[in-house]
Amino acid sequence: MRIIGGVILIFIAIISAVIFLLPEPEGFPILEYHQVTDEPLDPVFEIYNVPPAEFSAQLDYLQAEGYTTITLQDFMRVVHGKGKLPDKPIVLTFDDGYEDNYKFMLPILTEHKMTAVVYVITNEVGKAGYVTLEELKEMQRRGLEIGSHTSDHLPLTSLDKNFQRRQIRESKIFLEWSGLETIYSLSYPNGAFNFEIEEILREENYLTAVTGEAGLNTLATNPYELYRVNIRRPRFGLTEFKFRLFKAKFFAKLRNIF
Ligand SMILES: [Zn+2]
């Protein structure tokens, strides 16, 4: 047993050293946020809540490090040969469509002259604690991209094909018929996806979809399997935020090996 333990330790040490020594991976991070408030809607989900002061400090840090925020539509324009990406691109995404995204996140974002992508659960729009259609329109006017997080936030892989399509299609149509600009991006509820779901997204005229898997994105990344790194409620301030950015890089390096 001892020998096996030793061998495993040496193996882990070698792998860690190899990963550390690998060249910097290419690509840009996509960050996954949820609520930005001091009072989260449901205490159970408090781990997904970033207080406004912490969020503002994170944006200060990104700015100081020379990052430029882009939307996923900006990204797709470049994929299709129109223009080029800024030096250090980054995408900020917000899942579920909480009211605080409009109340607290948007003013901080505007103050930093940054942009973001907000994914809404369309059957929650306008309900207590969630954004309204007017707030979504205002966000679009200010240059943010609005995306779909499906109609009901059910993990798509657990549904039959017809129901999957309805969740994907009806959420898009609802937003567009309510007066929003065309919806091009989807965030998979619970990060659950497969090839058949990607096929439906293509057929329903979505151009991109974000997962919950850590990594970095390049022009060659499958646009329906974009990597994202989760930003949770920080217990160790900016240090933890830097660690999350490092995590995206670390997984990108791992993917380069395997
Ligand atoms: Zn969600």
Side-chain angles (χ1 to χ4, degrees):
M1 274 319 280
R2 259 211 183 140
I3 295 171
I4 295 172
V7 168
I8 290 173
L9 269 182
I10 290 168
F11 181 73
I12 291 172
I14 291 172
I15 291 283
S16 306
V18 167
I19 291 167
F20 183 75
L21 291 171
L22 278 174
E24 284 292 286
E26 274 188 40
F28 63 89
I30 302 178
L31 308 186
E32 175 188 351
Y33 288 94
H34 289 82
Q35 289 199 263
V36 178
T37 177
D38 285 315
E39 290 160 29
L41 198 59
D42 183 341
V44 174
F45 299 116
E46 203 185 52
I47 51 161
Y48 295 119
N49 171 58
V50 178
E54 298 260 14
F55 179 63
S56 186
Q58 292 175 357
L59 298 195
D60 287 343
Y61 172 76
L62 292 177
Q63 229 154 27
E65 288 291 304
Y67 282 100
T68 304
T69 53
I70 59 167
T71 64
L72 290 172
Q73 287 186 35
D74 295 332
F75 169 66
M76 285 314 282
R77 263 180 228 115
V78 181
V79 169
H80 289 124
K82 292 184 191 121
K84 62 187 199 69
L85 292 175
D87 269 351
K88 280 177 89 173
I90 191 164
V91 182
L92 312 178
T93 68
F94 295 83
D95 275 13
D96 301 347
Y98 296 105
E99 187 184 26
D100 53 70
N101 287 185
Y102 180 80
K103 253 168 87 184
F104 304 123
M105 182 277 277
L106 186 64
I108 298 169
L109 203 66
T110 307
E111 196 186 304
H112 286 81
K113 299 189 173 62
M114 287 178 163
T115 191
V117 186
V118 175
Y119 292 104
V120 294
I121 307 163
T122 53
N123 280 341
E124 301 292 349
V125 170
K127 290 190 184 159
Y130 292 89
V131 277
T132 65
L133 280 170
E134 284 314 309
E135 289 167 346
L136 287 172
K137 286 178 195 167
E138 173 67 18
M139 285 179 170
Q140 254 185 358
R141 276 196 291 274
R142 295 217 216 162
L144 276 72
E145 179 174 351
I146 306 302
S148 163
H149 199 24
T150 74
S151 308
D152 295 298
H153 204 281
L154 304 167
L156 291 171
T157 47
S158 68
L159 311 177
D160 70 44
K161 209 161 179 188
N162 280 338
F163 201 13
Q164 285 174 343
R165 188 179 294 276
R166 286 188 55 190
Q167 288 285 312
I168 289 168
R169 178 196 202 126
E170 288 173 8
S171 54
K172 185 180 197 301
I173 290 177
F174 168 80
L175 292 169
E176 291 168 356
W177 286 11
S178 301
L180 276 108
E181 306 280 334
T182 314
I183 305 301
Y184 289 113
S185 192
L186 181 125
S187 168
Y188 299 112
N190 299 7
F193 69 96
N194 58 31
F195 182 71
E196 286 75 33
I197 296 168
E198 288 181 28
E199 221 23 67
I200 297 175
L201 289 176
R202 267 184 216 102
E203 289 162 8
E204 296 299 334
N205 298 316
Y206 282 86
L207 300 179
T208 56
V210 289
T211 68
E213 299 185 15
L216 296 175
N217 304 279
T218 68
L219 298 184
T221 307
N222 178 347
Y224 298 100
E225 292 183 19
L226 294 172
Y227 299 113
R228 277 199 303 180
V229 65
N230 202 346
I231 307 297
R232 289 167 171 229
R233 184 186 185 86
R235 285 154 301 171
F236 307 105
L238 268 186
T239 309
E240 188 168 337
F241 183 65
K242 289 176 199 170
F243 173 76
R244 294 279 161 181
L245 291 173
F246 173 77
K247 183 182 166 191
K249 218 185 258 184
F250 180 82
F251 275 84
K253 278 189 182 187
L254 271 185
R255 287 178 211 286
N256 285 342
I257 312 178
F258 300 109

